[in-house]
Amino acid sequence: RLAERKELEPLVARCVASLPEPGAALLDLGWHALATERLPAALAMVPKVRRAVPDREETALFEAAVLRAQGNVEAAVRLLASFVATHPDALEARRAWAHALAAAGRRPDAIGVLDEGLKRLRAAPLLVGRAAVFVDMHDLSAAKAALDEVKTSGRPALRGEAGALRAAVLLAGRDVAGALAAVDEGLKASPGSVVALRAKARCLELSGKPADAIARLDEAIARRPGWAALYADRGAVHLRARQRKEARKALGEAKKRDATDPAVALLLGALAEEDADWSVAEKLYRGILRADPDHLDARRMLAGVVLLLGRLDQADQEAATVLDRDPKDPVAWFVRGRVAYRQERWDDALAHFD
């Protein structure tokens, strides 16, 4: 349907006019409006969908997606929590609830929601959702355990997502070849999986193929043009390739779609560092950490900036916090080594650099 957007909308409109109970067609029309970045049209569909298909999981998922598109994550959390309270076996609603909690920086709560569902049923959607939250928390062993339990079960789209998560775990261990193989398995199961295309782009960039990475991201954007993270990823590839003009353009598109996305703020901070505007970079990183104190990438970047600003003890403290979560983080060890070097603690410096 997304491949034929121009033809879809008139068709669905005719279905809505002809069906006595047009709930499914209304939902299709609403999701189509979201996919084509027409938020007012999607918002107008919410009361119609509520009337046509009340108290249904599909309705709750659609309304929560509209709320998140408006930037109202907490309202989406409340709506999904209320639905799952009365429908405890609604797997997709529970998964969406956990995803919204993670987006709000409440990752332990997200794991609790998923674990409660897994006590009722060891279902693939919940296990994949659990793995996604653990990847976000940098708890790679827990993520791998969940993915190992999933194996190859679940619908094709879920297997595509699982392949992307396996790739993320392998990339964290610097296994680029293994990550490529994992994401290719996911794309074999679900060739149109946007999350798998996004993961493939990251693998290609790390393989030294930035042009191919951009091509995969463009393919993903064509399938899901409203997802800010895809534009942020595109900006990141351009930034690392020293294409600053293209990076700014991509980040502008990402910010237009989701001004609250921490990935966008993180990359804008990196651009500020390129311009040697350390105070702006620090402000952006601290803004991310105020909303989500566990955001490891923002804390790592902050450690580097405050080092450049000459606040050595603070840089050392921020880097140590990163290492508490990820003892193998090379950037954090480098920052601690630089601090020790500048404080003439030679033995500590050598140990940290090693």
Side-chain angles (χ1 to χ4, degrees):
R1 289 198 296 261
L2 288 176
E4 301 176 352
R5 286 180 189 139
K6 292 181 181 177
E7 291 77 13
L8 173 65
E9 193 163 349
L11 174 63
V12 175
R14 290 200 298 275
C15 289
V16 171
S18 63
L19 291 174
E21 295 182 4
L26 284 168
L27 277 166
D28 275 350
L29 198 57
W31 283 113
H32 176 253
L34 274 180
T36 52
E37 300 182 272
R38 293 181 297 111
L39 183 55
L43 191 59
M45 281 303 206
V46 170
K48 297 177 183 179
V49 170
R50 277 187 196 150
R51 286 194 299 270
V53 276
D55 201 36
R56 287 268 296 277
E57 185 176 25
E58 296 89 341
T59 304
L61 289 168
F62 171 64
E63 189 172 353
V66 171
L67 287 167
R68 290 197 61 179
Q70 291 179 294
N72 198 344
V73 179
E74 288 297 338
V77 166
R78 290 193 296 272
L79 185 148
L80 292 165
S82 175
F83 185 85
V84 172
T86 55
H87 303 79
D89 292 324
L91 296 182
E92 291 302 330
R94 184 178 290 277
R95 197 163 100 100
W97 178 19
H99 185 67
L101 284 166
R106 295 163 58 186
R107 297 181 187 87
D109 291 341
I111 292 295
V113 165
L114 293 166
D115 285 350
E116 183 183 340
L118 286 166
K119 289 176 184 175
R120 304 175 69 87
L121 180 66
R122 304 297 292 184
L126 301 181
L127 288 165
V128 172
R130 196 171 193 268
V133 178
F134 277 128
V135 166
D136 202 26
M137 295 171 68
H138 298 268
D139 190 341
L140 303 179
S141 59
K144 185 178 182 300
L147 292 168
D148 287 346
E149 187 175 347
V150 172
K151 297 189 172 87
T152 58
S153 61
R155 64 189 185 280
L158 197 68
R159 287 155 59 193
E161 185 179 346
L165 290 168
R166 289 189 181 96
V169 171
L170 289 163
L171 283 179
R174 281 64 173 173
D175 184 358
V176 178
L180 271 169
V183 78
D184 283 342
E185 280 296 312
L187 285 168
K188 183 179 177 181
S190 179
S193 171
V194 173
V195 289
L197 286 168
R198 185 187 183 199
K200 178 70 179 263
R202 181 63 177 144
C203 292
L204 287 168
E205 186 192 5
L206 291 173
S207 300
K209 301 175 181 178
D212 291 342
I214 292 292
R216 294 290 78 73
L217 287 170
D218 286 345
E219 186 180 346
I221 287 169
R223 293 176 178 275
R224 192 173 168 185
W227 193 11
L230 297 173
Y231 298 90
D233 285 358
R234 201 179 198 283
V237 175
H238 284 305
L239 181 61
R240 287 188 283 265
R242 302 294 181 185
Q243 299 166 341
R244 294 169 64 184
K245 182 179 177 180
E246 292 86 348
R248 288 186 189 281
K249 182 179 177 181
L251 292 175
E253 291 294 324
K255 193 171 182 179
K256 188 192 305 180
R257 286 159 176 82
D258 186 357
T260 65
D261 188 345
V264 178
L266 197 73
L267 290 165
L268 288 171
L271 271 174
E273 288 192 56
E274 290 282 321
D275 295 333
D277 198 341
W278 316 121
S279 59
V280 168
E282 181 183 8
K283 183 179 179 181
L284 286 163
Y285 300 147
R286 289 196 183 281
I288 296 170
L289 291 168
R290 274 196 300 274
D292 181 6
D294 293 327
H295 199 294
L296 213 59
D297 291 330
R299 198 167 293 282
R300 181 190 303 110
M301 301 284 273
L302 178 62
V305 166
V306 294
L307 173 65
L308 290 167
L309 289 169
R311 304 205 296 270
L312 302 184
D313 290 339
Q314 187 179 354
D316 197 51
Q317 181 181 355
E318 298 292 355
T321 302
V322 172
L323 291 168
D324 285 342
R325 292 277 305 282
D326 184 0
K328 294 184 179 180
D329 190 292
V331 175
W333 281 119
F334 179 78
V335 169
R336 295 205 75 189
R338 291 292 299 169
V339 170
Y341 178 82
R342 290 177 64 175
Q343 292 177 338
E344 300 185 2
R345 295 185 286 113
W346 314 120
D347 290 343
D348 288 343
L350 285 170
H352 295 334
F353 288 141
D354 283 345

